[in-house]
Amino acid sequence: MIIAEQKGIEELIGILEGHKDILVVGCRSCVAICLAGGEKEVGVLSEALRLHSDMRSKGWNISEVTLERACEKEWAYELDQLVEGKDCVISLACGVGAQVIQELFPDVRVVPGLNTSNMGAPEEQGVYNEKCGGCGDCVLHLTGGICPIARCAKSLLNGPCGGSQEGKCEIDPEVPCAWDQIYHSLEKLGRLELMDVPIPPKDWGPSRSGGPRKMVRSEAILTDEQNRMKGGKR
Amino acid sequence: MRSGSNLEKVLEDGRFAVTAEIGPPRSADPEPIRKHARDMKGSADAFNLTDNQTAIVRLSSIASGVVCLQEGIEPVIQMTCRDRNRIAMQSDVLGASALGIRNVLCISGDHQVFGNQKEAKNVYDVDPVQQLMMFRKMRDEAQVWGGDKLEEAPKLFLGAAANPFADPFEYRVRRLSKKINAGADFVQTQAIYDMDRFERWMAQARELGLHEKAHIIAGVMPLRSHKAAMYMKNKVSGMIVPDAVVDRLRTAADPKAEGVKLCVEQIEHLMSIEGVHGVHIMAVAWEEIVPRIVRDAGLLPRPSVREAIVHPYHS
Ligand code: SF4
Ligand code: SF4
């Protein structure tokens, strides 16, 4: 899932300068799970903004809504009526959702209410760890199911650097060394010999380095006929 | 000869090598490097120029290496994977070779959180194993990574770093093996204070025959006070400094003299270990002590296996 956290209220208030009719939009997917942009957070932020508006006579009209999944046009279109007459949307969806909303409603300014951070997983309630760097060419089968790209501070591919001590990464005694974890995972799997296999320089072409990525699954693309059958929804 | 460097000749001759470290200044003024070069000339076979060590911006290692050549001493330039992608690395190694630099130490580099550019984006396009693969291909096959031909191959003596004090301990030697298979001709280790652990590490290296595949140069770092020892112990990543070392410096009447004595004892011990082909002295911010340590360790004069250095800068 996508891990994100809310921007500070001060920063958000600065961004809203000059706006009046504001719609706060959340998302029930990833950002709800990481407690950044679900229905509850939308309510709390909206209330805080109303309070600020009253105290500082900003005259803001704040309304709120939470989408099922902001990154899918089908769901994001539900804003169709709600953005009517608004001059700003605060997106509490991730950076993806924010862009989808802006694309669908090009006349309203969409501002980010979240800082979108990474692809990760909840460790426990309130704790989220980055897991995948989206490199486009997965090597988890070689690394005991632990990602060296996202989990190693240097994205090393051939074992731990000289800063790995007692299972910790050199950058911070709180951060586990990914390569120490990989070693012990491979040990448990009985595949330690993989630690000796040299991995040549990686092709970063399928990663962000190759430019923005577009994936086309031709068999899934609907024909005109199918689109017509599907009806109204765009 | 792969590169014809002085260091390569000393090692290939089977002589016990001495290398020493020079930290480039945080300055555009090359004078500090010239001074270190003059102070240390003749007391080591080659001199490492660190590459923005601990991620602090300093005069570049290649430029510092050229200053060393001008002063008539041989450089080992360090090159981190932190700051360059494969394009810059290969380009820089061609440039270094063109300028007369032969020895290149391939390292991952301290993470930028340690330095004065904490907000930097790091690179890590390749890791040190891959860096060695690339440079060996350039040297031995006259090809850049991907196969395009080089009209003139760089002349390189390739080095790798090894840290016997990092974890998992039982993997460290196998990691070194990976680096040697990838192209490392010589290896410089992290500073050694825990001799027991180093001996166990060397035993594993000999078991894999690594001491015959590459020249292992053992690192030492003279300490001028117990405070310096405490700093190394607590603040520098990947170091082990036993309490006995700290105590010895704390209780010494003359800590500096004790530091020199300790370092000389360490070198003598290291010389007795099978497979150790040299010693690398990292006298951080204490470079002027190197000649005395080398002398006291009985390692002078340095062998003059190299013909007079002839290069465009020699005045
Ligand atoms: S190897 Fe690449 S695709 Fe696989 S988890 Fe890591 S970043 Fe993601
Ligand atoms: S200590 Fe481990 S996780 Fe940290 S940079 Fe080194 S290898 Fe990567």
Side-chain angles (χ1 to χ4, degrees):
Chain A
M1 58 181 268
I2 304 278
I3 311 293
E5 64 181 354
Q6 263 187 36
K7 280 187 181 293
I9 186 90
E10 293 303 324
E11 184 186 355
L12 212 46
I13 287 166
I15 295 174
L16 290 178
E17 200 53 55
H19 287 294
K20 194 168 175 341
D21 290 301
I22 298 161
L23 176 63
V24 181
V25 179
C27 176
R28 282 186 226 283
S29 296
C30 312
V31 294
I33 296 168
C34 64
L35 312 177
E39 192 163 18
K40 181 160 160 261
E41 291 75 37
V42 167
V44 172
L45 177 67
S46 299
E47 221 24 62
L49 291 174
R50 285 181 198 115
L51 218 66
H52 181 83
S53 175
D54 287 351
M55 275 163 41
R56 299 285 160 89
S57 312
K58 293 270 186 189
W60 289 342
N61 298 317
I62 309 277
S63 35
E64 58 189 89
V65 64
T66 304
L67 298 169
E68 198 56 36
R69 200 148 49 241
C71 60
E72 278 195 272
K73 285 183 187 171
E74 283 83 349
W75 296 108
Y77 255 116
E78 292 183 352
L79 296 178
D80 212 8
Q81 306 293 316
L82 295 167
V83 296
E84 206 56 43
K86 299 289 186 298
D87 54 43
C88 182
V89 166
I90 302 176
S91 163
L92 287 193
C94 70
V96 181
Q99 292 180 61
V100 169
I101 296 167
Q102 182 69 84
E103 202 184 316
L104 290 180
F105 307 102
D107 300 332
V108 190
R109 184 184 184 216
V110 177
V111 302
L114 299 188
N115 292 320
T116 303
S117 173
N118 63 79
M119 287 186 268
E123 197 62 43
E124 56 184 279
Q125 172 102 341
V127 180
Y128 312 94
N129 273 331
E130 178 165 16
K131 294 287 186 189
C132 170
C135 76
D137 183 10
C138 198
V139 299
L140 285 174
H141 57 300
L142 302 174
T143 56
I146 293 152
C147 173
I149 311 293
R151 301 286 317 153
C152 166
K154 300 176 186 173
S155 296
L156 303 179
L157 283 165
N158 282 289
C161 76
S164 171
Q165 272 189 320
E166 290 166 7
K168 301 299 181 206
C169 174
E170 70 174 26
I171 64 164
D172 186 334
E174 297 294 312
V175 175
C177 167
W179 273 101
D180 191 83
Q181 294 178 314
I182 291 169
Y183 181 88
H184 289 107
S185 172
L186 288 172
E187 191 175 35
K188 284 196 197 89
L189 294 167
R191 300 302 298 270
L192 262 186
E193 78 280 1
L194 287 171
M195 290 292 292
D196 298 329
V197 178
I199 298 182
K202 188 173 172 66
D203 175 5
W204 294 105
S207 82
R208 235 306 294 168
S209 297
R213 287 164 281 177
K214 178 178 187 171
M215 205 171 280
V216 179
R217 199 152 294 134
S218 51
E219 74 279 8
I221 295 175
L222 298 183
T223 62
D224 290 350
E225 174 69 7
Q226 285 168 319
N227 264 325
R228 262 196 304 280
M229 306 244 304
K230 211 177 160 200
K233 272 195 176 173
R234 280 176 272 182
Chain B
M1 283 287 142
R2 287 168 169 152
S3 70
S5 79
N6 186 50
L7 181 62
E8 181 179 9
K9 285 178 185 163
V10 169
L11 288 166
E12 291 295 312
D13 268 12
R15 313 289 294 264
F16 192 83
V18 177
T19 56
E21 192 160 289
I22 296 176
R26 303 192 202 189
S27 162
D29 180 8
E31 198 43 43
I33 304 167
R34 294 195 192 285
K35 186 176 179 309
H36 291 320
R38 285 182 211 120
D39 288 350
M40 291 199 274
K41 189 172 182 174
S43 51
D45 308 309
F47 296 83
N48 281 49
L49 287 311
T50 50
D51 182 13
N52 298 302
Q53 194 168 20
T54 61
I56 287 170
V57 177
R58 291 171 182 278
L59 207 152
S60 84
S61 59
I62 293 177
S64 303
V66 170
V67 174
C68 287
L69 287 173
Q70 290 169 348
E71 292 296 325
I73 66 168
E74 181 170 290
V76 177
I77 57 146
Q78 304 196 172
M79 193 186 282
T80 73
C81 297
R82 179 192 60 219
D83 306 332
R84 296 170 180 79
N85 69 6
R86 66 190 77 184
I87 302 172
M89 278 189 182
Q90 294 179 93
S91 167
D92 275 352
V93 106
L94 291 176
S97 181
L99 291 168
I101 291 166
R102 298 287 171 261
N103 311 307
V104 178
L105 186 78
C106 299
I107 51 175
S108 63
D110 300 310
H111 193 274
Q112 71 273 13
V113 293
F114 293 108
N116 60 5
Q117 306 294 315
K118 293 182 175 45
E119 296 175 357
K121 185 174 194 291
N122 60 31
V123 181
Y124 295 112
D125 173 21
V126 298
D127 67 23
V129 172
Q130 298 164 340
Q131 186 184 18
L132 286 160
M133 290 178 187
M134 242 168 35
F135 291 169
R136 178 168 64 184
K137 190 178 179 71
M138 293 174 82
R139 180 192 65 197
D140 293 353
E141 300 171 39
Q143 285 176 15
V144 294
W145 195 252
D148 278 0
K149 198 88 192 120
L150 286 167
E151 269 175 42
E152 174 90 26
K155 294 185 181 66
L156 300 172
F157 193 47
L158 295 174
N163 186 0
F165 308 104
D167 292 317
F169 177 65
E170 58 285 14
Y171 178 66
R172 295 323 300 195
V173 159
R174 283 159 58 195
R175 165 133 167 107
L176 176 60
S177 170
K178 238 178 172 179
K179 289 183 175 181
I180 292 173
N181 290 335
D185 303 307
F186 69 97
V187 177
Q188 288 173 319
T189 78
Q190 174 67 289
I192 300 158
Y193 295 105
D194 182 344
M195 276 294 167
D196 284 351
R197 179 153 161 156
F198 180 70
E199 293 234 39
R200 280 186 279 135
W201 182 85
M202 268 312 293
Q204 291 175 26
R206 285 194 302 270
E207 239 167 74
L208 295 183
L210 300 185
H211 63 309
E212 281 158 356
K213 292 190 193 159
H215 300 287
I216 297 173
I217 300 174
V220 292
M221 187 182 287
L223 297 166
R224 58 205 307 184
S225 66
H226 79 275
K227 282 199 185 117
M230 288 303 288
Y231 180 81
M232 291 299 152
K233 188 184 174 81
N234 299 325
K235 289 275 153 55
V236 180
S237 73
M239 296 273 274
I240 294 180
V241 183
D243 290 335
V245 170
V246 182
D247 291 344
R248 186 168 157 183
L249 290 164
R250 195 201 317 273
T251 54
D254 181 349
K256 280 190 185 181
E258 197 62 28
V260 170
K261 204 164 153 246
L262 174 68
C263 189
V264 169
E265 286 169 23
Q266 288 169 329
I267 293 173
E268 284 164 351
H269 187 144
L270 292 166
M271 289 175 74
S272 73
I273 300 174
E274 187 194 348
V276 173
H277 288 186
V279 68
H280 177 52
I281 306 170
M282 294 167 270
V284 179
W286 199 16
E287 281 94 343
E288 64 277 11
I289 200 67
V290 169
R292 187 170 146 207
I293 291 172
V294 179
R295 186 199 66 200
D296 288 2
L299 289 165
L300 287 182
R302 300 307 311 146
S304 52
V305 291
R306 197 179 194 197
E307 305 86 63
I309 297 179
V310 183
H311 57 75
Y313 311 101
H314 206 212
S315 45

